[in-house]
Amino acid sequence: MSEQTTAADRSTIDQVVTAISEAFRWLEKEIFTVGETAITYGSIFRFVAIIIAALIISRVVQQALQRYTDFRNTMAPSSVYALKRITHYIILLVGFMVAISSIGIDMTKFAIFASALGVGVGFGLQNLISNFTSGIMLLFEKTLKVGDFVELESGVTGEVKEINIRSTIITTNDNIDIIVPNSEFVSGRVTNWTMRDTYRRIKVPFGVAYGTDKELVKRAVLEAADRVPHTLTDTSHRPPQVWLVEFGESSLNFELVVWLRPDAVNRPGAVQAAFLWEIHTALIENNIQIPFPQRDLHIKSWQADGTIRTLQGKDSASAPEPEPEPERPSKNDAAEEF
């Protein structure tokens, strides 16, 4: 009886195995051939599975590297980012090679095919290859790091958020993400405001009327600089200065030269507006006249009855009435930008 039961079980197992084999027989169906290698549905499924496994392994390895560096705290964030990206590329390359081998394609023949294909692809995807190699150079050279505040030759200004295979993502101060090809960072001129140090000095131009006391201007503007929270008070750098830089057409032109705090370097527009706001307030408080274009009125002739006839040009302007001294504003919006 037991022998009959065993035989029945074996028959059932054979039927199940046969049914499974029949169900997956379509995986062995040939789609096309590469040389002497037949490509089937099963080989394609195996290729895709290996690539997905490589992506998962890459993600796990990057997370492990991040946790290790966070625990050790011995590497700069930019170095950690570069290490993670390079590891990701290496794992994907190894996974791709293993996937090709699993299909059964001879790697020597594949190399010949790849070299022939590379000639054609090189012309069609020249920009893509250029951007890829430029991205690798940026990761190794460390002239551009995630978190740097840069200004490109094209006029784009913002903080570097990501350095990818083809492009780099820059976020402007208006929270706009701009995708810039990596080749632009290599072939063009890039101003990196935070490459080595986060302390920067700016020059804020302004002008006053001729005849104004220079010492009064200096004292008023330095007081204005002290009221702006972006001004660096560290004694290792020079204190704010006021320079007389030009005798203008209708004004004495000065510059406020001031060092900024590190958190203000990435906001040049708001910083400029904050200093101009306080400078304007200080000039009004000290009754310092802000200049305006001067025009001379020339009398050409007068009438016989003694009335003067003048020719008024389109550029002629009369001096405005003196403004009453306003109350000093209680809020500087640009100073509170961040």
Side-chain angles (χ1 to χ4, degrees):
M1 186 69 178
S2 60
E3 293 180 357
Q4 293 178 355
T5 303
T6 303
D9 293 340
R10 291 177 179 175
S11 177
T12 302
I13 294 174
D14 292 340
Q15 291 177 0
V16 173
V17 172
T18 303
I20 294 175
S21 300
E22 291 294 335
F24 289 95
R25 188 176 297 277
W26 62 274
L27 292 174
E28 300 177 0
K29 183 179 180 180
E30 181 179 335
I31 305 175
F32 58 90
T33 59
V34 178
E36 299 178 355
T37 304
I39 304 300
T40 63
Y41 287 105
S43 59
I44 293 179
F45 177 79
R46 188 165 53 251
F47 178 87
V48 174
I50 293 175
I51 294 298
I52 294 176
L55 290 173
I56 295 175
I57 293 173
S58 173
R59 179 65 61 85
V60 172
V61 171
Q62 290 184 70
Q63 292 177 354
L65 287 174
Q66 186 65 50
R67 288 195 297 267
Y68 177 77
T69 53
D70 290 342
F71 175 76
R72 300 285 296 181
N73 197 21
T74 57
M75 296 180 63
S78 59
S79 301
V80 176
Y81 180 84
L83 178 61
K84 288 167 57 179
R85 300 304 297 178
I86 294 173
T87 303
H88 173 70
Y89 298 151
I90 292 175
I91 293 177
L92 287 186
L93 178 61
V94 172
F96 178 77
M97 301 299 290
V98 173
I100 291 295
S101 300
S102 68
I103 296 177
I105 299 178
D106 188 0
M107 295 305 297
T108 57
K109 296 181 180 180
F110 181 77
I112 298 175
F113 172 76
S115 61
L117 181 64
V119 176
V121 172
F123 292 101
L125 302 179
Q126 184 176 3
N127 291 334
L128 179 62
I129 301 301
S130 175
N131 291 326
F132 175 77
T133 54
S134 299
I136 297 297
M137 293 174 60
L138 293 176
L139 292 175
F140 276 103
E141 288 183 351
K142 297 182 180 181
T143 55
L144 185 70
K145 307 180 295 296
V146 174
D148 284 349
F149 190 81
V150 297
E151 180 180 354
L152 303 184
E153 192 173 3
S154 59
V156 176
T157 303
E159 181 180 352
V160 178
K161 289 297 184 181
E162 295 181 16
I163 302 177
N164 298 317
I165 295 178
R166 188 194 67 84
S167 60
T168 296
I169 298 178
I170 293 179
T171 302
T172 67
N173 291 336
D174 297 328
N175 200 27
I176 299 174
D177 293 330
I178 300 178
I179 301 175
V180 182
N182 290 330
S183 58
E184 186 170 344
F185 292 95
V186 177
S187 59
R189 184 182 64 185
V190 180
T191 302
N192 192 335
W193 289 34
T194 56
M195 179 177 176
R196 295 181 294 104
D197 196 355
T198 56
Y199 293 103
R200 288 294 176 269
R201 188 178 70 174
I202 65 169
K203 299 176 182 179
V204 183
F206 65 95
V208 300
Y210 276 100
T212 307
D213 185 1
K214 300 187 297 296
E215 295 298 328
L216 178 60
V217 173
K218 179 178 180 180
R219 183 170 62 254
V221 173
L222 290 180
E223 292 176 356
D226 291 336
R227 292 196 295 264
V228 178
H230 309 322
T231 304
L232 180 65
T233 57
D234 187 0
T235 57
S236 62
H237 295 77
R238 292 183 179 179
Q241 297 176 323
V242 177
W243 295 354
L244 176 60
V245 295
E246 183 184 16
F247 295 100
E249 181 180 354
S250 58
S251 65
L252 292 173
N253 295 328
F254 291 83
E255 284 183 350
L256 169 63
V257 183
V258 59
W259 287 89
L260 301 180
R261 296 172 54 186
D263 57 353
V265 174
N266 295 359
R267 300 291 188 271
V271 169
Q272 186 87 357
F275 280 106
L276 289 176
W277 181 282
E278 293 296 343
I279 289 174
H280 181 264
T281 302
L283 295 180
I284 294 178
E285 287 179 343
N286 289 271
N287 296 322
I288 298 176
Q289 184 179 4
I290 299 175
F292 52 88
Q294 302 290 329
R295 296 292 182 267
D296 294 333
L297 183 64
H298 298 279
I299 300 176
K300 308 297 292 186
S301 62
W302 56 84
Q303 302 293 341
D305 55 2
T307 59
I308 299 176
R309 181 170 63 89
T310 61
L311 298 178
Q312 183 175 1
K314 62 180 180 179
D315 291 337
S316 62
S318 58
E321 297 181 358
E323 298 180 357
E325 182 177 348
E327 297 181 0
R328 194 157 72 87
S330 60
K331 183 179 180 181
N332 186 343
D333 293 336
E336 301 177 0
E337 170 69 13
F338 47 96

